[in-house]
């Protein structure tokens, strides 16, 4: 019975070769001539020996469809669609995201309040008429008076200095919001890219598994195959189909989430460009922690909050120092036809209200502001440590899959194929090895997704603008004269 599965094995060979690389960029995969070792010549007419270029993804990230025929294999490219990469999405975010615009307006609001806080009080002018229509002087007594309050103890300067600290905090809030938005866009991008790559892999797995099922059904009808083996192939096919359907269902939602993160809800996204296999820098937790604590705007904002609280306390302490109001006026009396000049000033006496309550509150606010600085530092370190832990474990897992697990799984499949052809293994052993290769590649995609999501958060904490950095091409070698 084993020799009759040659046609199925050809499909499996291509199936496994397509899974050998996580990005489906293997070279020319050769399908060996298994029919030469079979006694039934009919199998040679089903599938001839041929070489198939199995580049399942070209450098432009275009899908490639593989169709198996009785005589030849051909590769047809899908229609070209406009793709978006992470740099283009970041540029769109800077232009369109409403959160960044909202924080920018908050800066202008704070700047306006700072201007207002330093403005001097307006003078007062009053005109009054008394004893009008009096018998002794029908014109009455008219008085014109002008006054001005003089602010003492640099109160306006302190008010404006405190308000300017709020302007600084608003500017730092914009910087914080900028990189938080970048992180959300990057994570949404890699979530969608992961689903896209997974969909590509599953699409090819389904195509190749379907071909294996078709071939095995043909052999079953000819009573040259076991029903048990056919059912096992159909189970794998349905499982891959279920995974593919679920991934395709999730992909539009991931695209919509990415568009909302950018700030353009109705932005059409057909396909993303990019690769999960790009190189990432080796992060050192201690060095990154020191760097983040030295440059992060939330920490600087908390430190400015302490300075603001100190200015508010200083302002509260000078509040009891009274302002002086000075005025002068002119009085015309119709009764005796006299013109008189008036002058005066007023000063509030701080006898009972010496602003002691506000002073106490301001002193308490300083302690709260200092505690805020420590709290922000702890939260940033906790956020960084959590992201680094996820990144380090996912990175290690990805490297292990790329350098050890997948090569060994592929080697196991190759040896199983050879053993089966030599009559030493049953067909199900080959099928199990092939399934291990496929699932290992899917697990690699998942691990790389976790790695990129965590790395995106680390990059946001480090205030990275151009991330991930494009690989630098090697310098051309100088010709020796």
């Amino acid at each position: 019975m084993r020799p009759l599965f040659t046609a199925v094995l050809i499909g499996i060979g291509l199936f496994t070769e397509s899974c050998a690389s996580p990005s489906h960029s293997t070279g020319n995969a050769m399908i060996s001539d298994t029919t030469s070792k079979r006694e039934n010549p009919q199998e040679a007419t089903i599938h001839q020996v041929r070489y198939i270029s199995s580049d399942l993804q070209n450098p432009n990230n275009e899908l490639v469809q593989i169709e198996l025929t009785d005589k030849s294999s051909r590769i047809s490219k899908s229609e070209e669609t406009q793709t978006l990469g992470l740099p283009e999405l970041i540029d769109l975010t800077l232009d369109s995201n409403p959160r960044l615009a909202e924080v920018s307006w908050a800066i202008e609001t704070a700047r306006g309040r700072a201007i207002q806080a330093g403005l001097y009080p307006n003078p007062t002018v009053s005109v009054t008429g008394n004893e009008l229509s009096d018998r002794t002087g029908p014109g009455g007594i008219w008085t014109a008076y002008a006054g001005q309050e003089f602010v003492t103890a640099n109160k306006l300067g302190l008010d404006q200095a405190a308000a300017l600290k709020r302007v600084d905090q608003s500017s730092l809030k914009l910087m914080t919001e900028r990189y938080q938005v970048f992180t959300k866009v990057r994570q949404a991008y890699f979530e969608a890219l992961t689903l896209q790559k997974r969909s590509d892999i599953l699409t090819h797995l389904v195509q190749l598994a379907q071909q294996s099922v078709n071939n095995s059904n043909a052999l079953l009808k000819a009573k040259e195959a076991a029903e048990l083996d056919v059912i096992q192939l159909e189970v794998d096919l349905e499982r891959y189909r279920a995974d593919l359907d679920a991934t395709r269902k999730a992909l539009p939602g991931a695209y919509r989430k990415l568009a909302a993160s950018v700030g353009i809800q109705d932005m059409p996204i057909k396909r993303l460009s990019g690769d999960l296999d790009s190189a990432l820098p080796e992060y050192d937790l201690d060095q990154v922690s020191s760097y983040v604590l030295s440059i992060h705007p939330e920490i600087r904002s908390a430190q400015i909050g302490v300075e603001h609280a100190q200015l508010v306390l200083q302002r509260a302490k000078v509040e009891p120092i009274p302002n002086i109001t000075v005025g002068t006026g002119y009085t015309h009396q119709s009764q005796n036809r006299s013109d008189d000049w008036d002058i005066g000033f007023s000063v509030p006496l701080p006898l009972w209200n010496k602003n002691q309550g506000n002073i106490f509150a301001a002193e308490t606010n300083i302690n709260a502001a200092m505690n805020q600085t420590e709290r922000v530092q702890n939260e940033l370190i906790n956020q960084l440590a959590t992201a680094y832990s996820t990144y380090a474990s996912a990175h290690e897992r990805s490297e292990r899959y790329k350098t050890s697990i997948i090569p060994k799984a592929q080697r196991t499949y190759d040896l199983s194929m050879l053993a089966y052809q030599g009559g030493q293994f049953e067909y199900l052993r080959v099928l199990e090895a092939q399934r291990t290769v496929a699932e290992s590649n899917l697990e690699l995609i998942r691990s790389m997704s976790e790695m990129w999501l965590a790395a995106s958060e680390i990059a946001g904490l480090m205030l990275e603008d151009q991330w991930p950095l494009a690989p630098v091409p090697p310098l051309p070698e100088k010709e020796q004269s």
Side-chain angles (χ1 to χ4, degrees):
M1 185 69 66
R2 212 181 327 107
L4 300 180
F5 282 96
T6 301
V8 179
L9 281 178
I10 293 178
I12 295 174
L14 181 58
F15 186 106
T16 306
E17 289 294 334
S18 68
C19 298
S21 173
S23 59
H24 290 271
S25 58
T26 56
N28 292 328
M30 183 184 73
I31 298 180
S32 58
D33 183 9
T34 56
T35 61
S36 61
K37 299 183 179 181
R38 297 294 182 257
E39 298 177 356
N40 191 347
Q42 179 184 1
E43 298 174 4
T45 64
I46 298 177
H47 289 284
Q48 299 177 353
V49 179
R50 58 188 177 273
Y51 291 87
I52 299 178
S53 177
S54 59
D55 291 334
L56 301 184
Q57 191 175 39
N58 62 14
N60 295 326
N61 292 318
E62 296 173 340
L63 290 176
V64 176
Q65 300 174 346
I66 295 181
E67 298 179 5
L68 298 181
T69 61
D70 290 346
K71 298 181 178 180
S72 64
S73 296
R74 62 180 184 271
I75 301 177
S76 61
K77 297 181 180 179
S78 65
E79 295 181 359
E80 296 183 357
T81 58
Q82 183 178 4
T83 60
L84 285 175
L86 185 56
E88 293 82 6
L89 292 170
I90 292 296
D91 291 339
L92 289 173
T93 301
L94 292 174
D95 294 336
S96 307
N97 194 277
R99 289 176 57 183
L100 299 180
E102 182 179 352
V103 179
S104 299
W105 296 333
I107 296 176
E108 299 303 316
T109 301
R111 184 176 290 114
R113 290 172 179 170
I115 294 173
Q116 185 64 36
L119 297 179
Y120 217 79
N122 292 323
T124 59
V125 176
S126 63
V127 177
T128 59
N130 298 311
E131 301 183 12
L132 300 178
S133 300
D134 187 76
R135 289 179 297 175
T136 59
I141 302 173
W142 288 91
T143 301
Y145 193 87
Q148 175 67 55
E149 179 184 4
F150 292 91
V151 182
T152 61
N154 192 31
K155 295 174 186 174
L156 294 178
L158 292 172
D159 285 338
Q160 190 171 52
L164 288 173
K165 294 297 181 182
R166 294 302 190 194
V167 176
D168 293 340
Q169 286 183 313
S170 297
S171 300
L172 291 169
K173 176 64 176 176
L174 174 60
M175 184 180 297
T176 300
E177 195 71 23
R178 170 191 175 97
Y179 292 101
Q180 287 178 350
V181 170
F182 281 5
T183 298
K184 290 184 179 296
V185 171
R186 289 163 178 166
Q187 290 182 333
Y189 165 80
F190 284 113
E191 287 176 359
L193 184 63
T194 299
L195 290 174
Q196 186 175 284
K197 297 294 183 182
R198 182 178 177 85
S199 176
D200 292 346
I201 293 176
L202 289 171
T203 297
H204 295 291
L205 289 179
V206 167
Q207 292 174 352
L208 298 171
Q210 180 65 64
Q211 185 65 42
S212 296
V213 169
N214 294 340
N215 294 337
S216 62
N217 280 327
L219 294 174
L220 180 63
K221 290 180 180 180
K223 297 181 180 182
E224 298 177 347
E227 184 179 2
L228 177 62
D229 294 331
V230 176
I231 293 176
Q232 182 64 59
L233 284 171
E234 292 175 344
V235 169
D236 285 341
L237 173 60
E238 291 303 319
R239 185 163 59 89
Y240 290 136
R241 279 177 175 172
D243 289 343
L244 177 59
D245 291 342
T247 302
R248 286 177 173 174
K249 293 288 186 182
L251 198 52
Y255 285 155
R256 182 61 61 88
K257 177 182 177 181
L258 175 58
S261 300
V262 171
I264 308 175
Q265 297 182 6
D266 58 347
M267 178 176 62
I269 301 178
K270 295 183 178 180
R271 187 166 180 85
L272 299 175
S273 62
D275 194 359
L276 295 175
D277 205 24
S278 301
L280 273 174
E282 293 291 340
Y283 294 115
D284 181 83
L285 182 58
D286 293 334
Q287 294 179 356
V288 174
S289 298
S290 300
Y291 181 75
V292 169
L293 293 179
S294 65
I295 56 94
H296 202 277
E298 285 191 13
I299 296 179
R300 180 55 186 152
S301 179
Q303 293 170 345
I304 292 177
V306 175
E307 299 172 4
H308 175 268
Q310 293 172 343
L311 288 171
V312 171
L313 174 60
Q314 188 177 351
R315 175 63 177 83
K317 288 181 177 180
V318 300
E319 178 63 25
I321 300 176
N323 295 338
I324 300 175
T325 301
V326 178
T328 183
Y330 167 78
T331 301
H332 174 75
Q333 299 187 27
S334 298
Q335 295 91 337
N336 56 11
R337 298 182 179 179
S338 63
D339 296 316
D340 304 313
W341 291 96
D342 303 319
I343 188 172
F345 70 95
S346 64
V347 177
L349 299 178
L351 298 180
W352 298 283
N353 181 4
K354 298 180 180 180
N355 206 36
Q356 52 267 45
N358 289 332
I359 292 174
F360 178 78
E363 291 173 343
T364 305
N365 284 337
I366 290 180
N367 295 329
M370 295 176 65
N371 182 74
Q372 173 78 359
T373 302
E374 297 179 359
R375 183 185 66 81
V376 170
Q377 290 175 340
N378 289 334
E379 288 181 354
L380 288 175
I381 291 300
N382 178 63
Q383 185 178 355
L384 176 61
T386 302
Y388 179 82
S389 177
T390 303
Y391 165 79
S393 60
H395 184 269
E396 177 65 24
R397 193 185 314 118
S398 300
E399 290 300 316
R400 189 66 60 87
Y401 268 95
K402 287 189 289 187
T403 60
S404 178
I405 296 177
I406 292 180
K408 289 181 178 179
Q410 181 65 40
R411 179 60 177 164
T412 300
Y413 167 75
D414 295 338
L415 293 176
S416 299
M417 176 77 74
L418 293 176
Y420 171 76
Q421 293 172 353
Q424 300 176 7
F425 274 5
E426 294 182 356
Y427 167 68
L428 290 180
R429 295 284 297 273
V430 178
L431 183 63
E432 181 180 354
Q434 169 264 319
R435 187 187 304 114
T436 301
V437 174
E439 292 178 350
S440 297
N441 280 276
L442 292 175
E443 183 64 23
L444 173 61
I445 293 296
R446 187 185 68 83
S447 298
M448 289 194 296
S449 173
E450 293 180 2
M451 178 184 68
W452 280 106
L453 292 177
S456 298
E457 189 164 0
I458 295 175
L461 293 173
M462 296 179 66
L463 311 185
E464 296 279 2
D465 284 300
Q466 302 296 328
W467 182 92
L469 294 176
V472 180
L475 295 176
E477 298 181 359
K478 295 183 178 180
E479 297 181 359
Q480 297 180 354
S481 57

